[in-house]
């Protein structure tokens, strides 16, 4: 799938070791959800 190759390309460009890639992806998803929810709270 193209999503898998895109993920591998991004992780490879940042030189993230394979052992940490899943953790980095999870942290990124959680941060995106937090920022998304916090931006919706700031709008009156």
């Amino acid at each position: 799938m193209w999503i898998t190759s895109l993920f591998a390309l991004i992780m490879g460009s940042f030189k993230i070791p394979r052992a940490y890639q899943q953790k980095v992806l999870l942290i990124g998803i959680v941060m995106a959800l937090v920022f998304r929810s916090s931006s919706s709270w700031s709008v009156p």
Side-chain angles (χ1 to χ4, degrees), residues 7-35:
F7 172 68
L9 180 70
I10 292 170
M11 291 297 176
S13 66
F14 285 110
K15 308 252 187 297
I16 298 172
R18 196 178 273 295
Y20 298 120
Q21 287 182 359
Q22 187 174 3
K23 190 171 189 175
V24 168
L25 179 63
L26 181 63
I27 291 170
I29 291 171
V30 169
M31 286 175 58
L33 290 172
V34 168
F35 290 142

